[in-house]
Amino acid sequence: MQLKEQKRKWLPTMVLAGVVSLTAITSACGNNNAPDNANANASQEPSNTSAAGNTNTGTEAKDVKFDPPITISYLRPWGPDVKFKSGEDQDNNVHTKWALDKFGIQLKNQWIAPSTNNAFETKLRLSLATNEKMPDIISYRGDFTLVRELIDSGRFIDAGELFDKYASQVWKDAMNEDPTVWYPYMEDGKRVGIPILDYAYNGDPVMWIREDWMQKLGLSAPKTLDDLEKVMDAFTNQDPDGNGKKDTYGLAIGFKNWINTWMSDAGWIFGAYGTMPNQWNKTADGKLEYGSVTEGSKKALATLQSWMSKGYLPTEAGLYDETKAAEDFTAGKAGIVVGPHWMPAWPLEDVKKNNKDAQYKAYSLPAGPDGKVGRHGTSNSNGVVLINAEMEHPEAFFAYQNYLFEQYANPQAGGEFENGLAEGYDWVMVDGQVKTDAASTGGYAPEKYTLTFDGARIPSLNMQVLSKLANGEEATTPFEKKLKMSTPLPMLEAAKIVQEQKDSVLPQMFTGAPTKTMQTSNDILGKMEKDTFSQIIYGKAPVDSFDKFVEKWKSSGGDKITQEVNEWYQSVSGGAK
């Protein structure tokens, strides 16, 4: 359950990075030598050590500089999306030069491995198995089981205590937007890993509908599932593309991977009945329940069965993954697809390759029979930083990251990062005008050179600004101006809807390591669940067969997993409601 979630949320973040930073419109294991340098400087203090731990001014990182310089050794996977200029590499680039000049910190990879084909994970696991010296910092986003292996190794410090001592108020405020981001990295009450913050709601879904079909057939915005069914019926039976053939249908979904997913999503149908499948949801009494075995899921499956029988869904839905299902929308076969606000950047614009007159528009998710609206949520974090218990100067990392939160996450006019991280990389001056598009800059993105992959992000900021711009308000800050320049109108309108429906989010509440029973039973339970759901949706089994599935799920380990999940939740949250 947990590994799937980790992968699911990674792609939207990559897409957003491309939208905001790279386009104008659419947006042999060696031993580490660094500790020798660190030991040589162990008695040295930064020129303003107290500043790094002062959380009152909001500008505490500015004057911190180590003299003589120190080295922070680190590991992180390097993805194929990271592009360097000629003569530069992971250890020698515009960002490493900046860190050395600004803070007296030399950033040094202990070794370098790509993120593809599990190369990084394989090498890091080998380092753990052979008891090699760990670097000062490990920054990672990916395989959650590897994170737990690192935490369980006992080689990393209680980073939460260091965070409380050294993090700036700006960073703390950003983290406190959702304190549950700490939960996946807690062990015996200690916050061993520091969550890498990401933009909130980035993968939360809206409903995309062919607006030209709506206008042609005289349809109104669907507010409820009943309204939506009328729209889907028209898209299926009233020839919306005007070709004289019955070759269109209502809703593009694909549940080859699962039904509550990052694109071509159907989780919101379950949300209309107050639950979310394939995740753990919080009940009114503060406990966690598995959404796939609730009465709401049975009702949602009955709805999906009805829609399939009426031809509103693709007959290939069980074979479609997220991308393949969306292709039916862009090919003009389906009139509705549900997914994130950034879909106009990819893949929705492809619809105009097939029909230059095609139009699409974002709509709110519809309510169920009891007025409920529910969607899956996007975590405020995407990755983790682990700090070696033997690191000589952990305050150095905080000086570095504090500065990025204070000066880069939401830069000020006239500030160092007003236009971007580095001139000639993510921004250039052309005829007196600042340009940030890939055609002008060459597509270099120095925020990807940072220890935390994206520099620094304040979760709520991105969607709040997009919503503001959608309301027609003026872009006044550098962050707002950059988003306005890089975000097309359909994305702005969709972001506004995401904000307006933010109270409908049903977040994944279990973010810990797989429990003991999960490790032995998840595969069996998962297959049972997918088989039952598929059989019901396709009408090969009656809706009431759901009840037998629930009984078998509980007796085959589900009840024990539920107990373990709630024990974990109590341990990290104290049972807070």
Side-chain angles (χ1 to χ4, degrees):
M1 296 175 191
Q2 199 54 40
L3 298 183
K4 187 182 298 180
E5 175 67 18
Q6 194 77 13
K7 292 178 181 177
R8 189 163 58 211
K9 67 185 181 184
W10 173 221
L11 179 59
T13 304
M14 292 173 65
V15 173
L16 179 71
V19 171
V20 174
S21 302
L22 301 181
T23 67
I25 303 297
T26 61
S27 317
C29 300
N31 290 325
N32 179 37
N33 295 320
D36 294 335
N37 187 358
N39 291 334
N41 293 284
S43 62
Q44 299 294 327
E45 295 292 337
S47 57
N48 187 355
T49 352
S50 61
N54 183 340
T55 60
N56 296 320
T57 67
T59 57
E60 55 270 20
K62 281 187 176 180
D63 301 321
V64 176
K65 187 169 184 178
F66 290 83
D67 186 15
I70 64 167
T71 294
I72 293 181
S73 61
Y74 73 99
L75 288 174
R76 52 156 286 188
W78 291 92
D81 59 323
V82 184
K83 179 181 179 181
F84 295 103
K85 287 190 174 184
S86 178
E88 296 190 354
D89 57 27
Q90 289 89 341
D91 286 328
N92 178 29
N93 56 64
V94 66
H95 181 69
T96 60
K97 293 174 183 176
W98 171 83
L100 184 60
D101 179 64
K102 175 69 68 174
F103 302 111
I105 296 174
Q106 178 69 60
L107 301 176
K108 178 68 176 178
N109 286 267
Q110 182 154 310
W111 42 257
I112 296 169
S115 63
T116 53
N117 298 319
N118 293 318
F120 179 85
E121 288 82 359
T122 300
K123 191 164 186 177
L124 184 51
R125 282 192 167 101
L126 178 61
S127 296
L128 272 176
T130 56
N131 203 32
E132 288 190 17
K133 186 175 182 63
M134 289 289 106
D136 295 323
I137 298 287
I138 292 180
S139 295
Y140 183 66
R141 50 173 51 145
D143 185 352
F144 189 73
T145 58
L146 176 56
V147 175
R148 296 308 308 184
E149 289 170 28
L150 292 166
I151 291 175
D152 293 342
S153 74
R155 301 172 75 172
F156 299 92
I157 201 167
D158 181 354
E161 286 190 357
L162 293 175
F163 184 86
D164 292 344
K165 181 177 181 181
Y166 292 121
S168 70
Q169 196 61 48
V170 175
W171 191 2
K172 287 179 177 177
D173 288 345
M175 195 73 75
N176 285 335
E177 289 185 8
D178 180 12
T180 68
V181 294
W182 290 99
Y183 289 0
Y185 314 115
M186 293 180 68
E187 185 79 9
D188 298 328
K190 296 180 179 179
R191 293 162 293 165
V192 182
I194 300 176
I196 297 175
L197 296 178
D198 205 348
Y199 292 133
Y201 309 118
N202 186 43
D204 287 34
V206 297
M207 180 170 290
W208 296 98
I209 305 182
R210 280 289 296 268
E211 186 64 11
D212 52 330
W213 290 8
M214 293 283 283
Q215 293 175 2
K216 178 181 178 179
L217 300 177
L219 301 169
S220 301
K223 302 294 185 182
T224 67
L225 290 183
D226 286 343
D227 295 339
L228 179 64
E229 184 158 345
K230 295 174 184 176
V231 172
M232 291 192 297
D233 187 79
F235 285 176
T236 304
N237 298 309
Q238 294 183 26
D239 191 23
D241 59 357
N243 67 356
K245 300 177 182 179
K246 185 174 168 52
D247 57 357
T248 57
Y249 66 90
L251 174 66
I253 65 169
F255 54 90
K256 176 183 178 181
N257 294 328
W258 196 235
I259 206 159
N260 164 25
T261 188
W262 59 271
M263 188 168 70
S264 309
D265 174 44
W268 54 275
I269 302 169
F270 293 73
Y273 295 98
T275 193
M276 193 58 56
N278 197 38
Q279 69 174 44
W280 293 85
N281 308 307
K282 187 158 69 170
T283 63
D285 62 358
K287 295 182 179 180
L288 302 190
E289 67 177 5
Y290 189 54
S292 296
V293 296
T294 61
E295 187 64 23
S297 281
K298 181 179 180 180
K299 294 176 180 178
L301 287 170
T303 296
L304 284 166
Q305 185 187 79
S306 171
W307 291 355
M308 181 66 78
S309 70
K310 295 174 181 176
Y312 302 160
L313 307 178
T315 56
E316 303 89 349
L319 302 175
Y320 281 175
D321 63 12
E322 297 85 352
T323 304
K324 183 63 178 176
E327 288 176 0
D328 271 11
F329 182 89
T330 58
K333 296 179 181 179
I336 305 168
V337 66
V338 174
H341 76 283
W342 44 257
M343 284 181 70
W346 174 85
L348 294 191
E349 275 300 285
D350 286 351
V351 73
K352 295 185 179 180
K353 294 179 181 179
N354 298 297
N355 181 350
K356 62 181 178 62
D357 297 321
Q359 301 175 41
Y360 57 83
K361 181 180 177 181
Y363 285 84
S364 301
L365 296 175
D370 298 328
K372 296 177 182 176
V373 177
R375 71 185 194 219
H376 67 74
T378 307
S379 175
N380 280 17
S381 70
N382 189 6
V384 64
V385 170
L386 299 172
I387 300 176
N388 195 326
E390 298 180 358
M391 184 177 182
E392 293 286 350
H393 288 289
E395 73 276 9
F397 167 71
F398 288 92
Y400 162 92
Q401 196 65 24
N402 282 342
Y403 194 87
L404 289 175
F405 266 97
E406 294 159 1
Q407 306 299 324
Y408 174 70
N410 188 14
Q412 299 302 305
E416 179 180 358
F417 302 127
E418 177 179 11
N419 301 316
L421 268 179
E423 185 176 6
Y425 291 80
D426 55 345
W427 70 277
V428 294
M429 192 71 74
V430 179
D431 298 328
Q433 297 293 319
V434 173
K435 300 289 185 180
T436 60
D437 60 286
S440 301
T441 65
Y444 296 100
E447 74 270 12
K448 296 183 180 181
Y449 308 163
T450 63
L451 289 181
T452 53
F453 304 100
D454 306 303
R457 289 179 170 179
I458 297 171
S460 61
L461 182 62
N462 188 68
M463 201 60 69
Q464 286 178 354
V465 171
L466 290 175
S467 183
K468 171 183 176 179
L469 296 174
N471 286 328
E473 297 180 49
E474 183 181 358
T476 56
T477 70
F479 188 93
E480 293 171 355
K481 292 176 181 178
K482 185 176 182 180
L483 271 190
K484 183 176 182 179
M485 183 169 56
S486 64
T487 310
L489 181 60
M491 284 176 59
L492 293 179
E493 294 174 342
K496 182 180 179 181
I497 291 171
V498 170
Q499 278 288 96
E500 289 172 345
Q501 289 196 306
K502 64 182 181 181
D503 292 338
S504 69
V505 172
L506 294 169
Q508 163 67 284
M509 296 303 297
F510 177 70
T511 54
T515 70
K516 183 178 180 180
T517 308
M518 282 182 181
Q519 294 174 34
T520 59
S521 302
N522 257 2
D523 288 346
I524 295 173
L525 294 178
K527 184 179 186 303
M528 184 193 310
E529 181 179 338
K530 292 186 76 170
D531 288 349
T532 300
F533 278 37
S534 180
Q535 291 285 316
I536 292 175
I537 292 171
Y538 278 104
K540 295 180 180 179
V543 174
D544 285 343
S545 66
F546 178 85
D547 299 329
K548 293 182 179 179
F549 153 70
V550 173
E551 290 178 9
K552 190 173 181 181
W553 183 90
K554 291 181 176 182
S555 64
S556 301
D559 276 343
K560 184 63 176 176
I561 291 174
T562 301
Q563 177 186 336
E564 293 168 347
V565 164
N566 279 280
E567 288 172 351
W568 167 86
Y569 187 62
Q570 288 286 326
S571 74
V572 296
S573 69
K577 298 183 180 181

